[in-house]
Amino acid sequence: QPTLPPQAHGNALPVQRLSASAYEDLRRCPYRFFALRQLGLKEADELEDEVDKRDFGLWLHAVLKIFHETLAADVMRGDGFAARLALMEDLAILGHLQRVDATRAAGLPDAAFLPFAAAWPQVRDGYLQWLAEHEATGARFGWAERWQELPLGDITLVGQIDRLDQLADGSALVVDYKTESIGTTTHRVKTPTEDTQLAFYAALQPDDTLQAAYVNVGEKGGTKTVLQPDVVEVRDVLITGILHDMERITNGAAMA
C-alpha cells in the first residue's frame, strides 16, 4: 500500500518568534518548519574535523564589525588605504589567534584555518577597494551586528542585521555579507519576491525609503554589491505573506 505523506498540524504549537531563516524553512517546506521550528527537532551535535566556510564567515563578520567600529570612533586612524590596510591586518591577526584558540578547544589542528588564511590577502584588499568606492558615493557606516525585534500581530519578527549604512540622500542601506560565490548571491535577487532574507531584514527597520543589498566578500574577483531592487515593495508583500501563513497555521492548515 502506498504511504501517504505526513499531514501534520501545528496549531497546538503557536509561533511566537519568527526569524528570516525560520520563515525561509516555512516557504520551502511547511513540514520542515513544523519539525525543526515548532517541535524543535535537530540532529545531535557531532565532533567536526574541519573548519568550513561558515566558520570563515563568522570570523570575517567579527573582523569587519570591529574594523568599522574602530574607524567610526577614530577616523584619523583609518585615513588612507595604507592606514586601513594596517588596521584591518592587525584585527585579522587578533581574530586569527582567537580562531586558533577556538579550533584547539574543539580538538582541531592549528592548520585547520590555513586555507582561509591563505585567501585572506585577496579578500582584505578586495574589500578595502570596494569600501573606498562605496564611500565615494557618500555612503557612511552606521552600525553592525545589531539584534532587532518587531512585533507583528501575535508574533515577533527577530533577527541580527550584519550592518546598516547611511546613504548620501539620508536613507538607510541594509547590508548582509555573503562569502559564497557571486553567482549564488546574484541568483538570490533574480526574483525579488523569492528572496526572504533581505526583505525580512528590511521589515525590521522603521524606514519606508530604505535600500537593501548583499555585499559579496569574495575570495576571488573582489567584493561586489548585489542590490535587492524594490525592497520596500517586496518587504510589504513579505509581511502580508507572513500574516497570512501564520493565520493558516493557527487555523489548522496541514503542514505538508
Side-chain angles (χ1 to χ4, degrees):
Q1 295 295 319
T3 301
L4 297 176
Q7 295 291 310
H9 297 274
N11 52 330
L13 298 165
V15 178
Q16 297 178 324
R17 296 167 71 81
L18 189 69
S19 67
S21 58
Y23 190 55
E24 181 73 13
D25 282 343
L26 180 61
R27 296 184 79 184
R28 290 182 177 180
C29 174
Y31 188 76
R32 176 183 175 86
F33 179 86
F34 171 75
L36 297 182
R37 306 295 180 168
Q38 291 186 279
L39 292 182
L41 304 179
K42 62 179 181 179
E43 292 184 80
D45 291 335
E46 296 182 6
L47 291 175
E48 297 287 344
D49 61 354
E50 62 181 14
V51 175
D52 59 20
K53 198 70 174 282
R54 182 175 181 275
D55 291 297
F56 176 67
L58 292 172
W59 174 81
L60 181 64
H61 277 65
V63 170
L64 292 180
K65 176 181 185 295
I66 301 172
F67 173 74
H68 282 288
E69 289 177 346
T70 303
L71 288 185
D74 185 0
V75 177
M76 294 304 294
R77 185 171 179 181
D79 187 15
F81 186 88
R84 290 186 171 192
L85 181 66
L87 172 60
M88 185 172 279
E89 193 58 24
D90 287 344
L91 295 173
I93 291 172
L94 176 61
H96 177 59
L97 292 175
Q98 292 172 342
R99 180 59 62 186
V100 168
D101 288 341
T103 56
R104 285 175 179 169
L108 301 176
D110 293 352
F113 200 68
L114 278 179
F116 300 110
W120 168 243
Q122 285 181 291
V123 173
R124 176 200 63 207
D125 294 354
Y127 181 82
L128 289 175
Q129 182 177 349
W130 169 86
L131 180 61
E133 295 169 356
H134 180 61
E135 290 179 335
T137 67
R140 291 295 179 266
F141 171 77
W143 47 257
E145 308 296 337
R146 181 176 294 181
W147 182 261
Q148 294 189 296
E149 300 187 1
L150 176 74
L152 182 67
D154 295 330
I155 64 170
T156 300
L157 306 185
V158 300
Q160 181 158 303
I161 314 300
D162 286 354
R163 174 171 158 187
L164 187 134
D165 283 3
Q166 294 296 323
L167 299 176
D169 62 2
S171 62
L173 173 69
V174 177
V175 171
D176 190 80
Y177 297 122
K178 292 298 180 190
T179 56
E180 62 201 10
S181 71
I182 186 63
T184 300
T185 303
T186 303
H187 184 73
R188 288 176 181 274
V189 301
K190 188 174 183 180
T191 306
T193 54
E194 291 299 313
D195 178 43
T196 302
Q197 192 172 13
L198 281 182
F200 194 99
Y201 289 165
L204 294 171
Q205 311 306 317
D207 196 329
D208 286 332
T209 59
L210 57 80
Q211 297 185 43
Y214 292 113
V215 172
N216 185 279
V217 186
E219 296 176 31
K220 299 178 181 178
T223 295
K224 293 182 173 61
T225 302
V226 180
L227 196 67
Q228 170 63 281
D230 305 318
V231 72
V232 173
E233 290 81 358
V234 176
R235 175 198 66 183
D236 294 343
V237 171
L238 184 83
I239 290 174
T240 301
I242 290 173
L243 292 172
H244 176 69
D245 291 340
M246 294 302 108
E247 182 180 14
R248 290 188 64 205
I249 292 174
T250 300
N251 292 337
M255 309 291 281

